[in-house]
Amino acid sequence: MSPPVFWVDEVPRAGESVLVTGPEGRHAVTVTRLKVGESVVLGDGRGTTVAGTVSEVSGKDRLTVRAGQVEFVARPTPIVTIVQALPKAERSELAVDLMTEAGVDVIVPWQAARSIARWSGVKAAKGVEKWRTVAATAAKQARRPWIPEVRELSTTIDVRELCGRVHAAGGVVAMLHEDGATPFGAVDFRGAPEVVLVIGPEGGLTDEEVADLSALGARSVVLGPEVLRTAAAGAVALGALGAVTDRWARRR
C-alpha cells in the first residue's frame, strides 16, 4: 500500500525534520493513526513532494516527519482549464472531485445563464472555498503533486475574456455541447499551450452563450453519443484529452 499524502506549506529538504500540525496533522494522527517509523509523503501542492518517515507523534494533531528524497514534477502539457457552470448543490462537489482526480489544472466556477445554483456575496466566497477544499482532498487521494487552482466565481463577461485570451495565444477553446458540430476526437489539441473546456449547467448552454463564445474562437464539440451529466463531463473530457495528448506521459 502506498504511503499517505499530506499537504504542507513548504516541503523540507532531504535530512530535515518538519512538524505537521493543524488539520493535516489531526488527520494523520487521529484518522490515519500514523505511528513512529511509518512512511508518508509530504507535498506543497505546487509540484514538489518528499518521501519521509514519522519520527515523533504527540497529542492529537502533531507529528514530526524526517524528510528523505525530494522530487519535483512539472505540470503536464497542455495546461487544462475547465470552466464549470455551477451545478446543482448536490453535484457541485462531485464535479470538482472528479475533475481533480482526472487531472484538471485550473477550475473556473461560472454563473451561467441556466445555472440552477445561484452564488453571490458570502455564498460565493463559501462556495469557492469549499471547491478549493474538495480539490485539495481529491488531489491527495489521487496522489497528484499539484492541487488544481480554483478561481473566484466568474461571470459570462469573465469567461468571454478568458476564452478570447487563450484563443488569441494559440490555445484551444472547446465548448462541450450535445449539438456540437465537431467530434471531440477530431479537434487537434497537440501543440496547444493551453486548453479551455467550457461545460454548461444541467440545462445546457444557451444559444446566446454558444454564439458569443464561438465569436471569440471557441469550438462547439460533442464528446460522444451519450449526454453526460454536468458533474461527469469534465472528467470524461479530461480522459479523452489524455488519450490524444502527452498529458498521461508518466513523469515520475
Side-chain angles (χ1 to χ4, degrees), residues 24-39:
E24 291 292 89
R26 186 176 303 109
H27 186 83
V29 175
T30 62
V31 179
T32 310
R33 299 183 181 278
L34 288 173
K35 302 289 191 283
V36 172
E38 292 190 283
S39 298

PDB file of all heavy atoms in Angstrom, residues 24-39:
ATOM      1  N   GLU A  24      -4.109  18.856   8.783  1.00  0.00           N
ATOM      2  CA  GLU A  24      -3.359  17.739   8.205  1.00  0.00           C
ATOM      3  C   GLU A  24      -2.763  16.869   9.312  1.00  0.00           C
ATOM      4  O   GLU A  24      -2.787  15.636   9.235  1.00  0.00           O
ATOM      5  CB  GLU A  24      -2.252  18.252   7.284  1.00  0.00           C
ATOM      6  CG  GLU A  24      -2.757  18.903   6.013  1.00  0.00           C
ATOM      7  CD  GLU A  24      -3.421  17.910   5.075  1.00  0.00           C
ATOM      8  OE1 GLU A  24      -4.649  17.700   5.217  1.00  0.00           O
ATOM      9  OE2 GLU A  24      -2.750  17.351   4.207  1.00  0.00           O
ATOM     10  N   GLY A  25      -2.222  17.502  10.344  1.00  0.00           N
ATOM     11  CA  GLY A  25      -1.683  16.745  11.464  1.00  0.00           C
ATOM     12  C   GLY A  25      -2.753  15.963  12.193  1.00  0.00           C
ATOM     13  O   GLY A  25      -2.550  14.810  12.588  1.00  0.00           O
ATOM     14  N   ARG A  26      -3.913  16.591  12.354  1.00  0.00           N
ATOM     15  CA  ARG A  26      -5.025  15.915  13.038  1.00  0.00           C
ATOM     16  C   ARG A  26      -5.482  14.690  12.252  1.00  0.00           C
ATOM     17  O   ARG A  26      -5.749  13.630  12.821  1.00  0.00           O
ATOM     18  CB  ARG A  26      -6.186  16.888  13.233  1.00  0.00           C
ATOM     19  CG  ARG A  26      -7.339  16.329  14.075  1.00  0.00           C
ATOM     20  CD  ARG A  26      -8.406  17.389  14.318  1.00  0.00           C
ATOM     21  NE  ARG A  26      -7.833  18.565  14.957  1.00  0.00           N
ATOM     22  CZ  ARG A  26      -7.669  19.738  14.344  1.00  0.00           C
ATOM     23  NH1 ARG A  26      -8.027  19.890  13.067  1.00  0.00           N
ATOM     24  NH2 ARG A  26      -7.147  20.767  14.972  1.00  0.00           N
ATOM     25  N   HIS A  27      -5.564  14.845  10.946  1.00  0.00           N
ATOM     26  CA  HIS A  27      -5.982  13.711  10.116  1.00  0.00           C
ATOM     27  C   HIS A  27      -4.957  12.586  10.188  1.00  0.00           C
ATOM     28  O   HIS A  27      -5.321  11.405  10.280  1.00  0.00           O
ATOM     29  CB  HIS A  27      -6.150  14.168   8.664  1.00  0.00           C
ATOM     30  CG  HIS A  27      -6.720  13.118   7.762  1.00  0.00           C
ATOM     31  ND1 HIS A  27      -8.076  12.876   7.661  1.00  0.00           N
ATOM     32  CD2 HIS A  27      -6.120  12.233   6.927  1.00  0.00           C
ATOM     33  CE1 HIS A  27      -8.279  11.892   6.802  1.00  0.00           C
ATOM     34  NE2 HIS A  27      -7.109  11.478   6.348  1.00  0.00           N
ATOM     35  N   ALA A  28      -3.684  12.959  10.166  1.00  0.00           N
ATOM     36  CA  ALA A  28      -2.623  11.953  10.207  1.00  0.00           C
ATOM     37  C   ALA A  28      -2.627  11.171  11.512  1.00  0.00           C
ATOM     38  O   ALA A  28      -2.427   9.952  11.542  1.00  0.00           O
ATOM     39  CB  ALA A  28      -1.263  12.622  10.003  1.00  0.00           C
ATOM     40  N   VAL A  29      -2.876  11.885  12.633  1.00  0.00           N
ATOM     41  CA  VAL A  29      -2.786  11.260  13.953  1.00  0.00           C
ATOM     42  C   VAL A  29      -4.070  10.534  14.337  1.00  0.00           C
ATOM     43  O   VAL A  29      -4.047   9.392  14.811  1.00  0.00           O
ATOM     44  CB  VAL A  29      -2.416  12.308  15.019  1.00  0.00           C
ATOM     45  CG1 VAL A  29      -2.442  11.686  16.422  1.00  0.00           C
ATOM     46  CG2 VAL A  29      -1.042  12.895  14.742  1.00  0.00           C
ATOM     47  N   THR A  30      -5.233  11.196  14.143  1.00  0.00           N
ATOM     48  CA  THR A  30      -6.482  10.637  14.661  1.00  0.00           C
ATOM     49  C   THR A  30      -7.256   9.792  13.651  1.00  0.00           C
ATOM     50  O   THR A  30      -8.024   8.914  14.048  1.00  0.00           O
ATOM     51  CB  THR A  30      -7.404  11.770  15.154  1.00  0.00           C
ATOM     52  OG1 THR A  30      -7.743  12.624  14.056  1.00  0.00           O
ATOM     53  CG2 THR A  30      -6.710  12.590  16.235  1.00  0.00           C
ATOM     54  N   VAL A  31      -7.064  10.049  12.350  1.00  0.00           N
ATOM     55  CA  VAL A  31      -7.796   9.286  11.334  1.00  0.00           C
ATOM     56  C   VAL A  31      -6.905   8.196  10.736  1.00  0.00           C
ATOM     57  O   VAL A  31      -7.248   7.016  10.744  1.00  0.00           O
ATOM     58  CB  VAL A  31      -8.327  10.214  10.220  1.00  0.00           C
ATOM     59  CG1 VAL A  31      -9.061   9.393   9.158  1.00  0.00           C
ATOM     60  CG2 VAL A  31      -9.258  11.269  10.799  1.00  0.00           C
ATOM     61  N   THR A  32      -5.754   8.614  10.206  1.00  0.00           N
ATOM     62  CA  THR A  32      -4.838   7.635   9.621  1.00  0.00           C
ATOM     63  C   THR A  32      -4.114   6.839  10.706  1.00  0.00           C
ATOM     64  O   THR A  32      -3.645   5.726  10.448  1.00  0.00           O
ATOM     65  CB  THR A  32      -3.814   8.348   8.714  1.00  0.00           C
ATOM     66  OG1 THR A  32      -4.518   9.226   7.811  1.00  0.00           O
ATOM     67  CG2 THR A  32      -3.007   7.348   7.898  1.00  0.00           C
ATOM     68  N   ARG A  33      -4.000   7.415  11.905  1.00  0.00           N
ATOM     69  CA  ARG A  33      -3.358   6.761  13.063  1.00  0.00           C
ATOM     70  C   ARG A  33      -1.916   6.338  12.761  1.00  0.00           C
ATOM     71  O   ARG A  33      -1.514   5.194  12.986  1.00  0.00           O
ATOM     72  CB  ARG A  33      -4.180   5.550  13.530  1.00  0.00           C
ATOM     73  CG  ARG A  33      -5.589   5.906  13.984  1.00  0.00           C
ATOM     74  CD  ARG A  33      -6.330   4.700  14.509  1.00  0.00           C
ATOM     75  NE  ARG A  33      -7.681   5.037  14.910  1.00  0.00           N
ATOM     76  CZ  ARG A  33      -8.037   5.581  16.080  1.00  0.00           C
ATOM     77  NH1 ARG A  33      -7.095   5.844  16.973  1.00  0.00           N
ATOM     78  NH2 ARG A  33      -9.291   5.847  16.358  1.00  0.00           N
ATOM     79  N   LEU A  34      -1.168   7.289  12.244  1.00  0.00           N
ATOM     80  CA  LEU A  34       0.228   7.012  11.925  1.00  0.00           C
ATOM     81  C   LEU A  34       1.054   6.802  13.191  1.00  0.00           C
ATOM     82  O   LEU A  34       0.802   7.422  14.229  1.00  0.00           O
ATOM     83  CB  LEU A  34       0.814   8.166  11.118  1.00  0.00           C
ATOM     84  CG  LEU A  34       0.324   8.293   9.673  1.00  0.00           C
ATOM     85  CD1 LEU A  34       0.854   9.567   9.052  1.00  0.00           C
ATOM     86  CD2 LEU A  34       0.747   7.075   8.857  1.00  0.00           C
ATOM     87  N   LYS A  35       2.034   5.951  13.081  1.00  0.00           N
ATOM     88  CA  LYS A  35       2.922   5.639  14.196  1.00  0.00           C
ATOM     89  C   LYS A  35       4.367   5.958  13.801  1.00  0.00           C
ATOM     90  O   LYS A  35       4.699   6.071  12.620  1.00  0.00           O
ATOM     91  CB  LYS A  35       2.813   4.153  14.569  1.00  0.00           C
ATOM     92  CG  LYS A  35       1.401   3.700  14.955  1.00  0.00           C
ATOM     93  CD  LYS A  35       1.008   4.284  16.301  1.00  0.00           C
ATOM     94  CE  LYS A  35      -0.274   3.647  16.839  1.00  0.00           C
ATOM     95  NZ  LYS A  35      -1.469   4.159  16.189  1.00  0.00           N
ATOM     96  N   VAL A  36       5.214   6.099  14.818  1.00  0.00           N
ATOM     97  CA  VAL A  36       6.636   6.343  14.578  1.00  0.00           C
ATOM     98  C   VAL A  36       7.209   5.214  13.708  1.00  0.00           C
ATOM     99  O   VAL A  36       6.932   4.040  13.934  1.00  0.00           O
ATOM    100  CB  VAL A  36       7.402   6.435  15.912  1.00  0.00           C
ATOM    101  CG1 VAL A  36       8.907   6.487  15.672  1.00  0.00           C
ATOM    102  CG2 VAL A  36       6.951   7.667  16.701  1.00  0.00           C
ATOM    103  N   GLY A  37       7.981   5.616  12.714  1.00  0.00           N
ATOM    104  CA  GLY A  37       8.599   4.653  11.809  1.00  0.00           C
ATOM    105  C   GLY A  37       7.832   4.423  10.526  1.00  0.00           C
ATOM    106  O   GLY A  37       8.380   3.827   9.579  1.00  0.00           O
ATOM    107  N   GLU A  38       6.576   4.907  10.448  1.00  0.00           N
ATOM    108  CA  GLU A  38       5.796   4.702   9.235  1.00  0.00           C
ATOM    109  C   GLU A  38       6.161   5.736   8.167  1.00  0.00           C
ATOM    110  O   GLU A  38       6.614   6.842   8.471  1.00  0.00           O
ATOM    111  CB  GLU A  38       4.304   4.761   9.548  1.00  0.00           C
ATOM    112  CG  GLU A  38       3.817   3.600  10.390  1.00  0.00           C
ATOM    113  CD  GLU A  38       2.309   3.551  10.472  1.00  0.00           C
ATOM    114  OE1 GLU A  38       1.731   4.349  11.233  1.00  0.00           O
ATOM    115  OE2 GLU A  38       1.710   2.716   9.762  1.00  0.00           O
ATOM    116  N   SER A  39       5.932   5.374   6.912  1.00  0.00           N
ATOM    117  CA  SER A  39       6.286   6.229   5.780  1.00  0.00           C
ATOM    118  C   SER A  39       5.125   7.138   5.388  1.00  0.00           C
ATOM    119  O   SER A  39       3.955   6.736   5.450  1.00  0.00           O
ATOM    120  CB  SER A  39       6.682   5.371   4.572  1.00  0.00           C
ATOM    121  OG  SER A  39       7.823   4.589   4.855  1.00  0.00           O
TER     122      SER A  39
END
